[in-house]
């Protein structure tokens, strides 16, 4: 049955190599011609996926977008072959996706607690820069009708800055993915920026204010809830980052839920927020992977995450597609229980 074309927005979270899950989900959604993308808000790995998608789409439509994302992630995997961050032999034999037993990872993790990236990487090199220059035409991003919103965090103020199509450069994308314990801050227009997850992972506001679509599909990488309390130092730090990276997003989603109940129809912006329909694609698999796996960029691992993203997108289309254009399929009211 042919469906009527529907404009949708995409909200793409960051999460290192786990962003390959988002790649897979997008790959499946792009197979549906009735879904047309109005805007994309992305942070960190979400921003990389967004830029690759828009670059490819501008060249050859949906198939070009799918090819561009695969090209980006293949280059990431190729660059990782030279990285010291490799799984231990025992983890490889047992098929465990973790770096917790990797001597290089443990050494770097320990050193990062006493030395900064300015000590460990004085040149400020970042392998992602070459990958971005090789796989993305930034002039195409500037001219694309798909609206792009990439968030980075201003180090001085703590506020988020949203880079739009014409603002996007390799530095803007690197800033959005700049974890301060791993990389030097990225300087743009005389201001230093860190990972956008601290200010919005991703930012919903520009999708509400600047896009026509009233349906936003959130592709979630960082779990909102985890069972049990973390005990290891690495797991504690990871959960702190998850809570921090989810906090602004949850505030925006709660605002939508609240305004749905109390918005004055005469208040144009309030009505815009209240009228947003939120949908979500997520996976329990990501909650089962530990924090260190976000640094694993082996092709087999990325493909496993991609395939899980495709599966979950298929589940979403089978169970929730009928809600698109009609109502939220994500339980926003549940979030008000925690205000």
């Amino acid at each position: 049955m042919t469906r009527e074309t529907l404009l949708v927005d995409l909200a793409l979270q960051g999460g290192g190599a786990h962003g390959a899950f988002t790649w897979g989900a997008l790959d499946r959604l792009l197979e549906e011609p009735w879904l047309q993308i109005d805007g994309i808000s992305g942070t960190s790995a979400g921003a990389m996926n967004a830029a690759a998608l828009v670059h490819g789409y501008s060249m050859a439509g949906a198939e070009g977008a799918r090819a561009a994302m695969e090209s980006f992630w293949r280059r990431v995997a190729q660059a990782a072959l030279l990285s010291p961050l490799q799984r231990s032999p025992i983890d490889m034999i047992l098929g465990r996706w973790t770096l917790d037993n990797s001597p290089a990872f443990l050494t770097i993790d320990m050193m990062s607690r006493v030395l900064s990236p300015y000590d460990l990487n004085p040149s400020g090199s970042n392998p992602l820069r070459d990958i971005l220059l090789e796989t993305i035409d930034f002039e195409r991003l500037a001219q694309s009708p798909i609206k792009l919103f990439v968030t980075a965090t201003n180090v001085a103020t703590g506020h988020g800055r949203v880079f739009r199509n014409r603002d996007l450069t390799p530095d803007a994308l690197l800033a959005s993915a700049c974890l301060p314990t791993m990389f030097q801050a990225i300087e743009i227009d005389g201001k230093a920026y860190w990972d956008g997850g601290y200010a919005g992972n991703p930012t919903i506001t520009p999708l509400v204010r600047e896009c026509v679509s009233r349906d936003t599909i959130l592709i979630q990488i960082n779990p909102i809830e985890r069972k049990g309390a973390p005990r290891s130092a690495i797991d504690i730090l990871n959960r702190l980052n998850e809570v921090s990276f989810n906090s602004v997003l949850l505030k925006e989603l709660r605002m939508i839920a609240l305004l749905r109940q109390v918005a004055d129809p005469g208040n144009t912006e309030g009505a815009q927020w209240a009228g947003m329909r939120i949908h979500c694609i997520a996976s329990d698999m990501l909650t089962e992977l530990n924090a260190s796996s976000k640094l694993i960029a082996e092709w087999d691992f990325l493909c496993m995450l991609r395939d899980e993203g495709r599966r979950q997108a298929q589940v979403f289309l089978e169970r929730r597609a009928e809600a698109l254009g009609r109502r939220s399929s994500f339980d926003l009211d549940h979030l008000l229980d925690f205000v």
Side-chain angles (χ1 to χ4, degrees):
M1 181 179 66
T2 302
R3 295 197 54 155
E4 184 178 347
T5 299
L6 179 72
L7 278 178
V8 297
D9 296 328
L10 301 171
L12 312 180
Q13 286 199 316
H18 292 186
F21 170 84
T22 299
W23 163 33
L26 295 174
D27 191 69
R28 176 63 187 89
L29 293 177
L30 285 164
E31 293 177 348
E32 298 294 324
W34 61 279
L35 291 177
Q36 295 295 308
I37 302 170
D38 186 14
I40 309 176
S41 179
T43 296
S44 194
M48 308 295 173
N49 277 312
L53 185 157
V54 172
H55 159 80
Y57 201 95
S58 68
M59 296 178 65
E63 289 306 310
R66 297 176 66 200
M69 287 190 293
E70 178 171 348
S71 175
F72 170 79
W73 286 102
R74 281 192 180 275
R75 288 289 291 110
V76 169
Q78 290 167 4
L81 294 174
L82 303 176
S83 170
L85 296 175
Q86 304 291 338
R87 289 185 295 157
S88 69
I90 187 64
D91 288 322
M92 291 183 181
I93 292 171
L94 297 176
R96 298 188 301 212
W97 296 109
T98 179
L99 292 176
D100 286 357
N101 301 310
S102 163
F105 172 76
L106 293 172
T107 300
I108 292 172
D109 180 65
M110 185 176 298
M111 292 177 67
S112 70
R113 299 170 193 272
V114 293
L115 297 172
S116 83
Y118 297 87
D119 302 314
L120 299 172
N121 183 13
S123 66
S125 63
N126 188 326
L128 269 177
R129 183 180 298 278
D130 290 338
I131 294 173
L132 293 172
L133 290 171
E134 292 169 4
T135 57
I136 295 175
D137 182 340
F138 286 85
E139 290 186 5
R140 289 186 179 275
L141 301 188
Q143 299 167 5
S144 173
I146 298 177
K147 305 175 190 71
L148 271 174
F149 308 102
V150 170
T151 303
T153 303
N154 184 307
V155 176
T157 66
H159 297 156
R161 173 177 173 180
V162 177
F163 295 88
R164 291 163 174 79
N165 296 61
R166 294 189 179 279
D167 304 324
L168 286 173
T169 63
D171 277 346
L173 290 180
L174 291 175
S176 184
C178 180
L179 288 171
T181 58
M182 296 185 66
F183 300 107
Q184 294 185 21
I186 303 296
E187 187 169 307
I188 301 174
D189 300 330
K191 298 177 181 179
Y193 292 93
W194 281 338
D195 194 295
Y198 299 107
N201 190 25
T203 304
I204 300 296
T205 300
L207 298 178
V208 177
R209 292 179 173 174
E210 301 177 38
C211 292
V212 175
S213 170
R214 298 293 89 190
D215 287 84
T216 295
I217 302 175
L218 167 66
I219 302 182
Q220 183 182 335
I221 290 180
N222 294 295
I224 294 174
E225 296 184 20
R226 279 188 183 272
K227 295 180 180 179
R231 293 183 176 273
S232 72
I234 293 175
D235 288 343
I236 291 170
L237 182 60
N238 178 57
R239 188 56 184 155
L240 282 171
N241 283 333
E242 286 179 344
V243 171
S244 173
F245 279 19
N246 279 330
S247 62
V248 178
L249 171 64
L250 288 174
K251 286 180 181 178
E252 290 184 307
L253 294 179
R254 287 187 186 112
M255 183 187 300
I256 294 172
L258 183 61
L259 287 174
R260 284 173 54 189
Q261 298 181 1
V262 303
D264 177 359
N267 183 325
T268 303
E269 183 164 356
Q272 281 183 307
W273 280 91
M276 288 298 294
R277 296 180 288 267
I278 306 297
H279 315 274
C280 182
I281 298 175
S283 172
D284 290 338
M285 174 191 283
L286 297 179
T287 66
E288 296 168 0
L289 295 170
N290 65 21
S292 67
S293 67
K294 293 179 180 179
L295 299 176
I296 298 175
E298 296 176 39
W299 182 242
D300 286 349
F301 182 58
L302 299 180
C303 287
M304 181 185 75
L305 290 168
R306 176 203 62 194
D307 293 345
E308 176 64 9
R310 282 188 58 87
R311 278 192 294 271
Q312 294 304 327
Q314 179 63 33
V315 170
F316 169 78
L317 289 169
E318 291 174 355
R319 300 179 181 177
R320 310 294 185 196
E322 51 83 26
L324 288 165
R326 299 177 181 177
R327 64 180 185 280
S328 290
S329 59
F330 182 80
D331 186 4
L332 290 168
D333 293 335
H334 173 69
L335 298 176
L336 295 177
D337 295 339
F338 304 99
V339 174

